[in-house]
Amino acid sequence: MAKIGWVNIAEKAAFAYPSPRKFIPPKDMNTLSKSFLSCPAMRHYFDDTYMVCSAFSLRLRRVTEGKGFTIRPVYPFTSLAANQVSKLVKIQPESTWRKPERVVLQISTPYLFFSDDPIEIEQMHPTLGDSDSLNWNLIPGRFDIFAWQRALNFAAEWDSLRGDFILRTGDPMYFLRFAGDCKKPNELIEFPMSNELRERLRLFRGIAAVRRGTFGLMAEASRARENIKLME
């Protein structure tokens, strides 16, 4: 069994952020078990999948202003104070969008995952959830949590022509999978913050603003980790 550690690094309101938990597809309510929810292949697809749910409610609206626009939180459907919205939610430059209506946004989340084994984390769009009005798609990603320690972001492409961007408290934000050499189920363990983890965060925090194409640093970061244990 591969052991994977995680830490909630939120400096404020850490208790509001729920722990990652195993995702189990909903039960088939068809009396004959004929729904796709009973399909063994579908259920097997979600083996060892975890989900991270939203700690807050957020509703964003794109408002046209002259030749431009603004993105505004909508109250009372947003639980975050306006100053918190501006801190947590970052709208990426329009030049980086695929299409003019597809707003790319990022929301900080305080989940740091790590392992003392060579394991990659994969962040995926949440499917089969109870959320409605899903007019956004998670921007997926995958990286090595042995070599690279950073908190996860929620990054999404929002089709603003299809209405407001909506997240409700408890809605799945993203799914996670962990891939390594071990074929057995993974074990997720919560750890307290340590000096070693703080140092690893310091090494990688903000690195994308300093250097483009950080993928090339992965091998170097892995070599630097060889004699460092984070799960002891």
Side-chain angles (χ1 to χ4, degrees):
M1 181 176 288
K3 293 184 178 180
I4 297 160
W6 71 276
V7 176
N8 180 341
I9 67 168
E11 295 182 357
K12 295 181 179 180
F15 193 68
Y17 289 89
S19 300
R21 67 179 191 268
K22 269 279 186 75
F23 174 72
I24 300 174
K27 184 179 179 181
D28 184 358
M29 302 305 292
N30 185 296
T31 56
L32 300 176
S33 296
K34 293 295 186 180
S35 164
F36 72 89
L37 292 170
S38 289
C39 173
M42 187 282 296
R43 300 194 77 85
H44 182 52
Y45 175 81
F46 289 105
D47 283 353
D48 220 21
T49 297
Y50 294 82
M51 67 178 178
V52 170
C53 295
S54 180
F56 46 78
S57 294
L58 176 67
R59 185 166 188 159
L60 300 176
R61 181 168 297 165
R62 179 172 173 164
V63 180
T64 301
E65 293 184 340
K67 294 183 178 180
F69 65 90
T70 59
I71 306 293
R72 298 177 185 170
V74 180
Y75 294 97
F77 306 103
T78 296
S79 63
L80 296 165
N83 64 328
Q84 283 298 106
V85 174
S86 61
K87 288 179 181 178
L88 284 176
V89 182
K90 303 300 180 186
I91 306 299
Q92 300 305 295
E94 193 172 356
S95 60
T96 66
W97 304 356
R98 289 194 305 145
K99 296 181 179 180
E101 71 277 6
R102 293 185 178 266
V103 179
V104 176
L105 57 87
Q106 289 197 50
I107 300 174
S108 300
T109 65
Y111 301 96
L112 168 67
F113 294 88
F114 59 94
S115 180
D116 286 340
D117 297 307
I119 291 177
E120 291 190 333
I121 189 171
E122 181 181 4
Q123 196 174 10
M124 308 174 297
H125 186 80
T127 56
L128 296 185
D130 293 329
S131 306
D132 53 17
S133 190
L134 275 181
N135 53 0
W136 53 266
N137 283 300
L138 187 88
I139 298 172
R142 181 168 170 156
F143 66 95
D144 182 355
I145 58 173
F146 172 79
W148 207 264
Q149 279 72 57
R150 67 170 179 83
L152 296 182
N153 279 338
F154 167 93
E157 190 180 46
W158 161 36
D159 186 349
S160 59
L161 292 182
R162 293 172 58 195
D164 295 347
F165 174 89
I166 296 173
L167 264 181
R168 297 183 180 90
T169 302
D171 281 354
M173 296 182 77
Y174 49 81
F175 282 179
L176 298 173
R177 281 203 195 112
F178 302 92
D181 295 333
C182 182
K183 301 303 180 184
K184 296 181 180 179
N186 297 304
E187 181 183 7
L188 218 57
I189 306 169
E190 184 175 9
F191 277 76
M193 179 58 80
S194 65
N195 291 332
E196 290 82 3
L197 280 170
R198 286 192 184 92
E199 175 61 16
R200 296 298 294 179
L201 277 172
R202 186 188 68 83
L203 291 175
F204 301 113
R205 184 181 290 116
I207 198 168
V210 176
R211 176 167 171 171
R212 296 177 65 184
T214 56
F215 190 79
L217 292 174
M218 286 285 183
E220 186 177 340
S222 184
R223 287 192 297 269
R225 232 338 283 275
E226 287 178 358
N227 297 316
I228 299 173
K229 298 294 184 183
L230 298 177
M231 304 187 73
E232 295 181 345

